[in-house]
PDB file of all heavy atoms in Angstrom:
ATOM      1  N   LYS A   2      30.895 -83.222 -62.987  1.00 52.00           N
ATOM      2  CA  LYS A   2      30.852 -84.525 -62.322  1.00 52.00           C
ATOM      3  C   LYS A   2      29.661 -85.276 -62.780  1.00 52.00           C
ATOM      4  O   LYS A   2      28.556 -84.771 -62.800  1.00 52.00           O
ATOM      5  CB  LYS A   2      30.696 -84.291 -60.847  1.00 52.00           C
ATOM      6  CG  LYS A   2      31.792 -84.588 -59.838  1.00 52.00           C
ATOM      7  CD  LYS A   2      32.859 -85.421 -59.958  1.00 52.00           C
ATOM      8  CE  LYS A   2      33.974 -84.780 -59.193  1.00 52.00           C
ATOM      9  NZ  LYS A   2      35.195 -85.439 -59.263  1.00 52.00           N
ATOM     10  N   LYS A  11      34.160 -97.331 -55.810  1.00 98.00           N
ATOM     11  CA  LYS A  11      35.168 -96.317 -55.645  1.00 98.00           C
ATOM     12  C   LYS A  11      36.060 -96.630 -54.412  1.00 98.00           C
ATOM     13  O   LYS A  11      37.275 -96.460 -54.405  1.00 98.00           O
ATOM     14  CB  LYS A  11      34.568 -94.929 -55.495  1.00 98.00           C
ATOM     15  CG  LYS A  11      33.928 -94.431 -56.804  1.00 98.00           C
ATOM     16  CD  LYS A  11      33.341 -93.064 -56.597  1.00 98.00           C
ATOM     17  CE  LYS A  11      32.771 -92.574 -57.926  1.00 98.00           C
ATOM     18  NZ  LYS A  11      32.580 -91.163 -58.028  1.00 98.00           N
ATOM     19  N   THR A  32      42.486 -85.727 -56.896  1.00 98.00           N
ATOM     20  CA  THR A  32      41.307 -85.069 -56.328  1.00 98.00           C
ATOM     21  C   THR A  32      40.044 -85.874 -56.708  1.00 98.00           C
ATOM     22  O   THR A  32      39.998 -86.477 -57.770  1.00 98.00           O
ATOM     23  CB  THR A  32      41.234 -83.684 -56.954  1.00 98.00           C
ATOM     24  OG1 THR A  32      42.304 -82.910 -56.541  1.00 98.00           O
ATOM     25  CG2 THR A  32      39.919 -82.958 -56.532  1.00 98.00           C
ATOM     26  N   GLY A  33      39.089 -85.909 -55.788  1.00 98.00           N
ATOM     27  CA  GLY A  33      37.829 -86.570 -56.125  1.00 98.00           C
ATOM     28  C   GLY A  33      37.367 -87.539 -55.059  1.00 98.00           C
ATOM     29  O   GLY A  33      38.088 -87.823 -54.099  1.00 98.00           O
ATOM     30  N   SER A  34      36.181 -88.071 -55.297  1.00 97.00           N
ATOM     31  CA  SER A  34      35.568 -88.991 -54.325  1.00 97.00           C
ATOM     32  C   SER A  34      36.287 -90.359 -54.259  1.00 97.00           C
ATOM     33  O   SER A  34      36.305 -90.973 -53.229  1.00 97.00           O
ATOM     34  CB  SER A  34      34.082 -89.187 -54.627  1.00 97.00           C
ATOM     35  OG  SER A  34      33.917 -89.613 -55.978  1.00 97.00           O
ATOM     36  N   THR A  35      36.888 -90.807 -55.336  1.00 98.00           N
ATOM     37  CA  THR A  35      37.637 -92.098 -55.291  1.00 98.00           C
ATOM     38  C   THR A  35      38.934 -91.879 -54.564  1.00 98.00           C
ATOM     39  O   THR A  35      39.336 -92.716 -53.738  1.00 98.00           O
ATOM     40  CB  THR A  35      37.861 -92.578 -56.721  1.00 98.00           C
ATOM     41  OG1 THR A  35      36.678 -92.391 -57.485  1.00 98.00           O
ATOM     42  CG2 THR A  35      38.233 -94.080 -56.754  1.00 98.00           C
ATOM     43  N   VAL A  36      39.572 -90.769 -54.869  1.00 98.00           N
ATOM     44  CA  VAL A  36      40.862 -90.436 -54.188  1.00 98.00           C
ATOM     45  C   VAL A  36      40.627 -90.290 -52.680  1.00 98.00           C
ATOM     46  O   VAL A  36      41.527 -90.641 -51.869  1.00 98.00           O
ATOM     47  CB  VAL A  36      41.495 -89.174 -54.797  1.00 98.00           C
ATOM     48  CG1 VAL A  36      42.594 -88.613 -53.920  1.00 98.00           C
ATOM     49  CG2 VAL A  36      42.023 -89.446 -56.203  1.00 98.00           C
ATOM     50  N   ASP A  87      45.350 -91.000 -59.036  1.00 98.00           N
ATOM     51  CA  ASP A  87      44.256 -90.010 -59.245  1.00 98.00           C
ATOM     52  C   ASP A  87      43.046 -90.676 -59.866  1.00 98.00           C
ATOM     53  O   ASP A  87      43.180 -91.734 -60.477  1.00 98.00           O
ATOM     54  CB  ASP A  87      44.776 -88.904 -60.173  1.00 98.00           C
ATOM     55  CG  ASP A  87      44.031 -87.597 -59.952  1.00 98.00           C
ATOM     56  OD1 ASP A  87      42.936 -87.587 -59.401  1.00 98.00           O
ATOM     57  OD2 ASP A  87      44.557 -86.534 -60.413  1.00 98.00           O
ATOM     58  N   GLY A  88      41.896 -90.055 -59.683  1.00 98.00           N
ATOM     59  CA  GLY A  88      40.682 -90.521 -60.337  1.00 98.00           C
ATOM     60  C   GLY A  88      40.572 -90.127 -61.755  1.00 98.00           C
ATOM     61  O   GLY A  88      41.484 -89.488 -62.334  1.00 98.00           O
ATOM     62  N   ALA A  89      39.471 -90.468 -62.398  1.00 98.00           N
ATOM     63  CA  ALA A  89      39.246 -90.112 -63.836  1.00 98.00           C
ATOM     64  C   ALA A  89      37.788 -90.058 -64.101  1.00 98.00           C
ATOM     65  O   ALA A  89      36.947 -90.660 -63.384  1.00 98.00           O
ATOM     66  CB  ALA A  89      39.919 -91.106 -64.726  1.00 98.00           C
ATOM     67  N   ASP A  90      37.422 -89.335 -65.173  1.00 98.00           N
ATOM     68  CA  ASP A  90      36.005 -89.225 -65.615  1.00 98.00           C
ATOM     69  C   ASP A  90      35.753 -90.212 -66.761  1.00 98.00           C
ATOM     70  O   ASP A  90      34.611 -90.690 -66.901  1.00 98.00           O
ATOM     71  CB  ASP A  90      35.714 -87.785 -66.057  1.00 98.00           C
ATOM     72  CG  ASP A  90      35.983 -86.819 -64.852  1.00 98.00           C
ATOM     73  OD1 ASP A  90      35.346 -87.034 -63.820  1.00 98.00           O
ATOM     74  OD2 ASP A  90      36.863 -85.946 -65.020  1.00 98.00           O
ATOM     75  N   LYS A 100      40.128 -86.084 -67.443  1.00 98.00           N
ATOM     76  CA  LYS A 100      40.050 -85.669 -66.052  1.00 98.00           C
ATOM     77  C   LYS A 100      39.581 -84.240 -65.986  1.00 98.00           C
ATOM     78  O   LYS A 100      39.522 -83.554 -67.027  1.00 98.00           O
ATOM     79  CB  LYS A 100      41.435 -85.857 -65.380  1.00 98.00           C
ATOM     80  CG  LYS A 100      41.838 -87.298 -65.227  1.00 98.00           C
ATOM     81  CD  LYS A 100      43.113 -87.504 -64.440  1.00 98.00           C
ATOM     82  CE  LYS A 100      43.188 -86.628 -63.195  1.00 98.00           C
ATOM     83  NZ  LYS A 100      42.061 -86.709 -62.286  1.00 98.00           N
ATOM     84  N   GLY A 101      39.301 -83.744 -64.790  1.00 98.00           N
ATOM     85  CA  GLY A 101      38.951 -82.362 -64.673  1.00 98.00           C
ATOM     86  C   GLY A 101      37.485 -82.235 -64.243  1.00 98.00           C
ATOM     87  O   GLY A 101      37.007 -81.042 -64.171  1.00 98.00           O
ATOM     88  N   GLY A 102      36.863 -83.339 -63.860  1.00 98.00           N
ATOM     89  CA  GLY A 102      35.464 -83.231 -63.374  1.00 98.00           C
ATOM     90  C   GLY A 102      35.407 -82.400 -62.066  1.00 98.00           C
ATOM     91  O   GLY A 102      34.354 -81.860 -61.755  1.00 98.00           O
ATOM     92  N   GLY A 103      36.537 -82.273 -61.382  1.00 98.00           N
ATOM     93  CA  GLY A 103      36.619 -81.495 -60.165  1.00 98.00           C
ATOM     94  C   GLY A 103      37.351 -80.134 -60.440  1.00 98.00           C
ATOM     95  O   GLY A 103      37.720 -79.461 -59.487  1.00 98.00           O
ATOM     96  N   ALA A 104      37.546 -79.866 -61.725  1.00 98.00           N
ATOM     97  CA  ALA A 104      38.195 -78.566 -62.122  1.00 98.00           C
ATOM     98  C   ALA A 104      39.646 -78.457 -61.627  1.00 98.00           C
ATOM     99  O   ALA A 104      40.177 -77.374 -61.516  1.00 98.00           O
ATOM    100  CB  ALA A 104      37.385 -77.374 -61.684  1.00 98.00           C
ATOM    101  N   ALA A 105      40.287 -79.611 -61.390  1.00 98.00           N
ATOM    102  CA  ALA A 105      41.645 -79.583 -60.796  1.00 98.00           C
ATOM    103  C   ALA A 105      42.665 -80.132 -61.795  1.00 98.00           C
ATOM    104  O   ALA A 105      43.822 -80.412 -61.412  1.00 98.00           O
ATOM    105  CB  ALA A 105      41.669 -80.359 -59.529  1.00 98.00           C
ATOM    106  N   HIS A 106      42.282 -80.329 -63.068  1.00 98.00           N
ATOM    107  CA  HIS A 106      43.129 -81.091 -63.991  1.00 98.00           C
ATOM    108  C   HIS A 106      44.496 -80.467 -64.269  1.00 98.00           C
ATOM    109  O   HIS A 106      45.427 -81.198 -64.571  1.00 98.00           O
ATOM    110  CB  HIS A 106      42.416 -81.457 -65.289  1.00 98.00           C
ATOM    111  CG  HIS A 106      42.018 -80.280 -66.081  1.00 98.00           C
ATOM    112  ND1 HIS A 106      40.814 -79.644 -65.836  1.00 98.00           N
ATOM    113  CD2 HIS A 106      42.623 -79.567 -67.046  1.00 98.00           C
ATOM    114  CE1 HIS A 106      40.745 -78.586 -66.690  1.00 98.00           C
ATOM    115  NE2 HIS A 106      41.817 -78.551 -67.449  1.00 98.00           N
ATOM    116  N   GLU A 109      46.592 -81.449 -61.463  1.00 98.00           N
ATOM    117  CA  GLU A 109      46.654 -82.935 -61.502  1.00 98.00           C
ATOM    118  C   GLU A 109      47.680 -83.401 -62.597  1.00 98.00           C
ATOM    119  O   GLU A 109      48.397 -84.399 -62.394  1.00 98.00           O
ATOM    120  CB  GLU A 109      45.262 -83.511 -61.789  1.00 98.00           C
ATOM    121  CG  GLU A 109      44.338 -83.384 -60.631  1.00 98.00           C
ATOM    122  CD  GLU A 109      42.876 -83.718 -60.972  1.00 98.00           C
ATOM    123  OE1 GLU A 109      42.477 -83.734 -62.124  1.00 98.00           O
ATOM    124  OE2 GLU A 109      42.155 -84.021 -59.989  1.00 98.00           O
ATOM    125  N   ASP A 124      35.638 -96.290 -60.627  1.00 98.00           N
ATOM    126  CA  ASP A 124      34.630 -97.329 -60.681  1.00 98.00           C
ATOM    127  C   ASP A 124      34.436 -97.725 -62.169  1.00 98.00           C
ATOM    128  O   ASP A 124      34.817 -96.952 -63.081  1.00 98.00           O
ATOM    129  CB  ASP A 124      33.340 -96.948 -60.003  1.00 98.00           C
ATOM    130  CG  ASP A 124      32.718 -95.769 -60.738  1.00 98.00           C
ATOM    131  OD1 ASP A 124      31.956 -96.073 -61.701  1.00 98.00           O
ATOM    132  OD2 ASP A 124      32.916 -94.629 -60.424  1.00 98.00           O
ATOM    133  N   LYS A 127      33.404 -95.674 -65.488  1.00 98.00           N
ATOM    134  CA  LYS A 127      34.308 -94.731 -66.161  1.00 98.00           C
ATOM    135  C   LYS A 127      34.957 -95.330 -67.377  1.00 98.00           C
ATOM    136  O   LYS A 127      35.595 -94.631 -68.165  1.00 98.00           O
ATOM    137  CB  LYS A 127      35.398 -94.218 -65.209  1.00 98.00           C
ATOM    138  CG  LYS A 127      34.857 -93.651 -63.875  1.00 98.00           C
ATOM    139  CD  LYS A 127      34.177 -92.358 -64.083  1.00 98.00           C
ATOM    140  CE  LYS A 127      33.657 -91.684 -62.816  1.00 98.00           C
ATOM    141  NZ  LYS A 127      34.693 -91.231 -61.915  1.00 98.00           N
TER     142      LYS A 127
HETATM  143  C1  5RP B   1      39.140 -83.872 -60.577  1.00 73.49           C
HETATM  144  C2  5RP B   1      39.169 -85.141 -61.324  1.00 73.49           C
HETATM  145  C3  5RP B   1      38.627 -86.361 -60.628  1.00 73.49           C
HETATM  146  O1  5RP B   1      39.685 -87.224 -60.364  1.00 73.49           O
HETATM  147  C4  5RP B   1      37.571 -87.009 -61.518  1.00 73.49           C
HETATM  148  O2  5RP B   1      36.546 -86.084 -61.738  1.00 73.49           O
HETATM  149  C5  5RP B   1      36.996 -88.285 -60.861  1.00 73.49           C
HETATM  150  O3  5RP B   1      36.337 -87.950 -59.706  1.00 73.49           O
HETATM  151  P1  5RP B   1      35.551 -89.047 -58.788  1.00 73.49           P
HETATM  152  O4  5RP B   1      36.552 -89.977 -58.260  1.00 73.49           O
HETATM  153  O5  5RP B   1      34.864 -88.193 -57.742  1.00 73.49           O
HETATM  154  O6  5RP B   1      34.553 -89.713 -59.687  1.00 73.49           O
HETATM  155  O7  5RP B   1      39.638 -85.261 -62.436  1.00 73.49           O
HETATM  156  O8  5RP B   1      39.560 -82.809 -61.379  1.00 73.49           O
END
Side-chain angles (χ1 to χ4, degrees):
K2 249 339 147 185
K11 289 180 178 202
T32 295
S34 53
T35 318
V36 166
D87 206 342
D90 302 301
K100 291 186 43 54
H106 61 273
E109 290 172 336
D124 66 84
K127 306 291 183 66

